[in-house]
Amino acid sequence: MPIDLIPRADWGARAPRGDYSRLSSTRGVKIHYTGGRVDPAIVDDHRRCAAAVRGIQNGHMDGNGWMDIGYTACVCPHRCVFVGRGPGRVPAANGSGLNSGHYAVLGLVGNSGLIIPPNDMLLGILDAIDWLREKGGAGDQIKGHRDGYATSCPGEPLYAWIRRGCPRPGETAAPTPTSSWTESTVNDLPLLEPGATGRHVKTAFYLLKARGYAKELDPKVIDPTVYSPKFVDEVKKLQEDKGLDKDGRIGRKTWPKLLGL
Ligand SMILES: [Zn+2]
Ligand SMILES: [Zn+2]
């Protein structure tokens, strides 16, 4: 299937405020997520995708003061590749000093709302990488924003896929058995005991919701970064449903269930 490229004019991009720095090649591509909420309604309504990309461009130009959107390309849940800065141009999203090494490709997922990349988004990211290799001299590396920079980006589900070697959804199993890549992903995640706090707790909260639990827990009412008693009870329900020990501790057995692995 050919890449479904959305040119800048088609998504209503603003003109850049200056000239791009040029690139003839990079070591590869770094993958990003939005780091904020992505309305899950976009999954069923592709018309919302262009508006989301325009919002990101506005944030980068007006909020960050950048001359254009920071990403090389943005990929929506419908396998469309929205052209950002495009190939041959230095992106801005990888962090200072890291932009000429890798192109920057965004998967339109966030840390709440839509957090699990749909298969068509993963295929679109692979399309974008092929395109950047062909048109932009991108090398073999596929990394996450967090590789080399202190950030949660691109989020646990997308990063788990990168760690696994970016397998094409629907294709037969990668040479590495599922159990060992699950293990290596999960080994990077901390053990969360009741009372724990921080960004991993928040990740667990939204993963739990994505799995259909904690429906009554409203993040506007309870703090999703605190592993509080009601939140623990919901994790115990998931553990029971999955045949795990109902100990409320999120460790090597419970993380994969939260991640839907
Ligand atoms: Zn990022
Ligand atoms: Zn879309």
Side-chain angles (χ1 to χ4, degrees), residues 52-155:
V53 176
R54 286 196 298 273
I56 291 166
Q57 186 189 33
N58 288 338
H60 286 181
M61 294 180 77
D62 303 333
N64 299 5
W66 294 348
M67 47 91 74
D68 190 10
I69 191 168
Y71 302 114
T72 306
C74 302
V75 181
C76 81
H78 313 98
R79 202 174 171 173
C80 293
V81 179
F82 291 75
V83 179
R85 296 195 179 196
R89 293 162 173 180
V90 178
N94 292 333
S96 180
L98 299 169
N99 287 307
S100 55
H102 296 84
Y103 289 114
V105 172
L106 174 85
L108 204 47
V109 286
N111 61 10
S112 71
L114 182 64
I115 56 178
I116 308 279
N119 283 349
D120 275 348
M121 182 182 292
L122 300 179
L123 288 166
I125 290 172
L126 293 171
D127 291 342
I129 291 168
D130 287 344
W131 171 64
L132 291 169
R133 286 177 178 166
E134 188 184 332
K135 305 283 187 195
D140 289 341
Q141 290 185 356
I142 306 176
K143 290 178 172 278
H145 186 186
R146 66 171 69 170
D147 293 314
Y149 191 85
T151 172
S152 63
C153 183

Side-chain angles (χ1 to χ4, degrees), residues 236-250:
K236 286 181 179 172
K237 284 184 201 166
L238 169 125
Q239 290 177 323
E240 181 162 40
D241 291 346
K242 303 294 182 188
L244 303 176
D245 288 344
K246 270 177 65 184
D247 59 6
R249 301 162 87 227
I250 303 174

